[in-house]
Amino acid sequence: MALVRKHPAAAPAPVQGDPRAALEGVTAAERREAAHRLAGDPDAVDPLADRLARETDKSVREAILLALGHIGTAAAAERLFDLLGSEDVWLRNAAIETLAEMDAAVIGALDQALADSDSDRRIFAVNILVSLRHPAAADYARRALAEDAHVNVVAAAIDVLAEIGTPDMIPEIEAAAARFPDAPFLAYAARAASRRIA
């Protein structure tokens, strides 16, 4: 008996109409296509970010993150910074990776992120500085080093400067460690960072 060749399933038809409405579509394919279509629309940041917070399909999440990264505005960066406090580890890490690729837009949102009341979010914001290809990244780390009252945020800033700092920053690193005399691990981190960039 001859085998009956099955025809491959037809690709889903392109989403018609308003892609913002399609972000709420029933199928993942609809929502994914809508995210792709919105990648060039700076006014779509909020609908994309709102959908991302509720989305459960990984491929749609990835498409939304790509769209937000492509839009690349300070508003997009701010919405991604909002995810740094998420309990969803995958989403939090994906937001960090997306932010790390956005460069100048992230710099525009860092003032707010480094002033966040949640120290964990401030730590995540500081950690992004290592991946930024922007000349102001070290200045933001130095600001956290000098101003933040939380020892773990300062430790994160020291780690960042160990990677992107310069020898003239060693006194600032040492002064930051001296602000926390009851945290010997910070003094150790400061010495290690200073040796690395000397």
Side-chain angles (χ1 to χ4, degrees), residues 26 30 37 69 81 90 94 111 118 124 130 163 174 193 197:
V26 173
E30 288 177 277
R37 292 176 65 196
F81 270 120
W90 184 92
D111 283 314
D118 186 330
F124 292 134
V130 172
E163 298 291 333
E174 293 173 343
I197 63 178

Side-chain angles (χ1 to χ4, degrees), residues 81 84-86 92 96 110 112-128 144 147-157 180:
F81 270 120
L84 298 186
S86 173
R92 187 172 67 233
I96 289 170
L110 271 171
Q112 179 176 339
L114 291 174
D116 196 288
S117 60
D118 186 330
S119 62
D120 286 339
R121 292 191 188 194
R122 299 199 305 279
I123 291 169
F124 292 134
V126 168
N127 286 337
I128 288 167
E147 299 177 4
D148 204 289
H150 196 288
V151 64
N152 290 336
V153 178
V154 173
F180 299 91

